[in-house]
Amino acid sequence: MAKVTVKPTKSSKFNIILIVVVIAFFVIYIGIDKIKNGSGNGSILSKKEHLRTVDDWKKIADYRAQEFYECTKDLDMDISKWYLYESCATDYNNSWVRFRDGLDGRANLNFEQIESLKNYWDKTREEIEKKVSDVMDENERQKRPNR
């Protein structure tokens, strides 16, 4: 008679733990994705251009202006840090190009709405550049009060 060896099977506890761990990773992944794209500007930015409303486009313009401000708010007129300002300004200008291209090529809006949104961006740009300039001047005065 032949001797039959039977390998012990994995316990059902191990299988249950494995399933729980896989589900936990899946839930964490979904949670991180929701946080990343959650409510607010993240979800508007991830929305397809042809689905965006005029208000969505305005929120994007405001969001990009706020990004520019946050990038430059701690700078002053120190020429050794001017490259930081240039980097922020370049990012803001690139945002304008993406905004304009999205409006011109993919937005589901009429001509007047598109032109209105471009004017809104320009107005927002002027306001944020003035605000950034004022903040940089103030930072300069605080850093070098005797100039």
PDB file of all heavy atoms in Angstrom, residues 25-35:
ATOM      1  N   PHE A  25      -6.728  47.722   2.855  1.00  0.00           N
ATOM      2  CA  PHE A  25      -5.924  48.455   1.885  1.00  0.00           C
ATOM      3  C   PHE A  25      -6.799  49.105   0.826  1.00  0.00           C
ATOM      4  O   PHE A  25      -6.556  50.237   0.412  1.00  0.00           O
ATOM      5  CB  PHE A  25      -4.890  47.539   1.229  1.00  0.00           C
ATOM      6  CG  PHE A  25      -3.656  47.343   2.063  1.00  0.00           C
ATOM      7  CD1 PHE A  25      -3.258  46.073   2.440  1.00  0.00           C
ATOM      8  CD2 PHE A  25      -2.889  48.419   2.473  1.00  0.00           C
ATOM      9  CE1 PHE A  25      -2.128  45.888   3.207  1.00  0.00           C
ATOM     10  CE2 PHE A  25      -1.751  48.245   3.228  1.00  0.00           C
ATOM     11  CZ  PHE A  25      -1.372  46.969   3.610  1.00  0.00           C
ATOM     12  N   PHE A  26      -7.809  48.413   0.380  1.00  0.00           N
ATOM     13  CA  PHE A  26      -8.716  48.962  -0.623  1.00  0.00           C
ATOM     14  C   PHE A  26      -9.449  50.191  -0.077  1.00  0.00           C
ATOM     15  O   PHE A  26      -9.548  51.214  -0.751  1.00  0.00           O
ATOM     16  CB  PHE A  26      -9.718  47.885  -1.067  1.00  0.00           C
ATOM     17  CG  PHE A  26     -10.667  48.343  -2.110  1.00  0.00           C
ATOM     18  CD1 PHE A  26     -10.251  48.501  -3.433  1.00  0.00           C
ATOM     19  CD2 PHE A  26     -11.982  48.641  -1.798  1.00  0.00           C
ATOM     20  CE1 PHE A  26     -11.119  48.935  -4.405  1.00  0.00           C
ATOM     21  CE2 PHE A  26     -12.860  49.078  -2.764  1.00  0.00           C
ATOM     22  CZ  PHE A  26     -12.439  49.229  -4.065  1.00  0.00           C
ATOM     23  N   VAL A  27      -9.939  50.105   1.149  1.00  0.00           N
ATOM     24  CA  VAL A  27     -10.646  51.228   1.766  1.00  0.00           C
ATOM     25  C   VAL A  27      -9.702  52.412   1.957  1.00  0.00           C
ATOM     26  O   VAL A  27     -10.069  53.559   1.694  1.00  0.00           O
ATOM     27  CB  VAL A  27     -11.282  50.792   3.106  1.00  0.00           C
ATOM     28  CG1 VAL A  27     -11.789  51.983   3.903  1.00  0.00           C
ATOM     29  CG2 VAL A  27     -12.406  49.797   2.858  1.00  0.00           C
ATOM     30  N   ILE A  28      -8.484  52.151   2.380  1.00  0.00           N
ATOM     31  CA  ILE A  28      -7.503  53.225   2.551  1.00  0.00           C
ATOM     32  C   ILE A  28      -7.198  53.873   1.212  1.00  0.00           C
ATOM     33  O   ILE A  28      -7.126  55.099   1.108  1.00  0.00           O
ATOM     34  CB  ILE A  28      -6.226  52.686   3.236  1.00  0.00           C
ATOM     35  CG1 ILE A  28      -6.524  52.334   4.693  1.00  0.00           C
ATOM     36  CG2 ILE A  28      -5.085  53.697   3.143  1.00  0.00           C
ATOM     37  CD1 ILE A  28      -5.416  51.578   5.389  1.00  0.00           C
ATOM     38  N   TYR A  29      -7.033  53.086   0.167  1.00  0.00           N
ATOM     39  CA  TYR A  29      -6.763  53.623  -1.164  1.00  0.00           C
ATOM     40  C   TYR A  29      -7.910  54.516  -1.621  1.00  0.00           C
ATOM     41  O   TYR A  29      -7.689  55.621  -2.124  1.00  0.00           O
ATOM     42  CB  TYR A  29      -6.545  52.489  -2.158  1.00  0.00           C
ATOM     43  CG  TYR A  29      -6.380  52.966  -3.569  1.00  0.00           C
ATOM     44  CD1 TYR A  29      -5.200  53.540  -4.008  1.00  0.00           C
ATOM     45  CD2 TYR A  29      -7.438  52.869  -4.465  1.00  0.00           C
ATOM     46  CE1 TYR A  29      -5.065  53.998  -5.298  1.00  0.00           C
ATOM     47  CE2 TYR A  29      -7.317  53.321  -5.760  1.00  0.00           C
ATOM     48  CZ  TYR A  29      -6.125  53.882  -6.169  1.00  0.00           C
ATOM     49  OH  TYR A  29      -6.002  54.344  -7.443  1.00  0.00           O
ATOM     50  N   ILE A  30      -9.126  54.071  -1.453  1.00  0.00           N
ATOM     51  CA  ILE A  30     -10.292  54.876  -1.835  1.00  0.00           C
ATOM     52  C   ILE A  30     -10.332  56.159  -1.016  1.00  0.00           C
ATOM     53  O   ILE A  30     -10.605  57.235  -1.545  1.00  0.00           O
ATOM     54  CB  ILE A  30     -11.603  54.068  -1.646  1.00  0.00           C
ATOM     55  CG1 ILE A  30     -11.635  52.858  -2.561  1.00  0.00           C
ATOM     56  CG2 ILE A  30     -12.828  54.939  -1.859  1.00  0.00           C
ATOM     57  CD1 ILE A  30     -11.691  53.178  -4.028  1.00  0.00           C
ATOM     58  N   GLY A  31     -10.036  56.069   0.278  1.00  0.00           N
ATOM     59  CA  GLY A  31     -10.034  57.246   1.142  1.00  0.00           C
ATOM     60  C   GLY A  31      -8.995  58.262   0.720  1.00  0.00           C
ATOM     61  O   GLY A  31      -9.272  59.461   0.676  1.00  0.00           O
ATOM     62  N   ILE A  32      -7.805  57.805   0.405  1.00  0.00           N
ATOM     63  CA  ILE A  32      -6.749  58.713  -0.046  1.00  0.00           C
ATOM     64  C   ILE A  32      -7.145  59.367  -1.357  1.00  0.00           C
ATOM     65  O   ILE A  32      -6.946  60.568  -1.555  1.00  0.00           O
ATOM     66  CB  ILE A  32      -5.409  57.962  -0.167  1.00  0.00           C
ATOM     67  CG1 ILE A  32      -4.891  57.601   1.218  1.00  0.00           C
ATOM     68  CG2 ILE A  32      -4.374  58.795  -0.931  1.00  0.00           C
ATOM     69  CD1 ILE A  32      -3.683  56.695   1.208  1.00  0.00           C
ATOM     70  N   ASP A  33      -7.735  58.616  -2.260  1.00  0.00           N
ATOM     71  CA  ASP A  33      -8.170  59.163  -3.539  1.00  0.00           C
ATOM     72  C   ASP A  33      -9.244  60.231  -3.331  1.00  0.00           C
ATOM     73  O   ASP A  33      -9.229  61.269  -3.983  1.00  0.00           O
ATOM     74  CB  ASP A  33      -8.693  58.043  -4.435  1.00  0.00           C
ATOM     75  CG  ASP A  33      -8.944  58.510  -5.838  1.00  0.00           C
ATOM     76  OD1 ASP A  33      -8.073  59.212  -6.403  1.00  0.00           O
ATOM     77  OD2 ASP A  33     -10.001  58.177  -6.386  1.00  0.00           O
ATOM     78  N   LYS A  34     -10.165  59.989  -2.406  1.00  0.00           N
ATOM     79  CA  LYS A  34     -11.214  60.971  -2.134  1.00  0.00           C
ATOM     80  C   LYS A  34     -10.630  62.222  -1.498  1.00  0.00           C
ATOM     81  O   LYS A  34     -11.069  63.328  -1.790  1.00  0.00           O
ATOM     82  CB  LYS A  34     -12.293  60.376  -1.247  1.00  0.00           C
ATOM     83  CG  LYS A  34     -13.233  59.476  -1.999  1.00  0.00           C
ATOM     84  CD  LYS A  34     -14.396  59.058  -1.145  1.00  0.00           C
ATOM     85  CE  LYS A  34     -15.314  58.168  -1.955  1.00  0.00           C
ATOM     86  NZ  LYS A  34     -16.507  57.790  -1.211  1.00  0.00           N
ATOM     87  N   ILE A  35      -9.653  62.067  -0.621  1.00  0.00           N
ATOM     88  CA  ILE A  35      -9.018  63.222  -0.001  1.00  0.00           C
ATOM     89  C   ILE A  35      -8.283  64.029  -1.060  1.00  0.00           C
ATOM     90  O   ILE A  35      -8.354  65.252  -1.102  1.00  0.00           O
ATOM     91  CB  ILE A  35      -8.059  62.788   1.126  1.00  0.00           C
ATOM     92  CG1 ILE A  35      -8.856  62.262   2.310  1.00  0.00           C
ATOM     93  CG2 ILE A  35      -7.143  63.934   1.544  1.00  0.00           C
ATOM     94  CD1 ILE A  35      -8.016  61.594   3.372  1.00  0.00           C
TER      95      ILE A  35
END
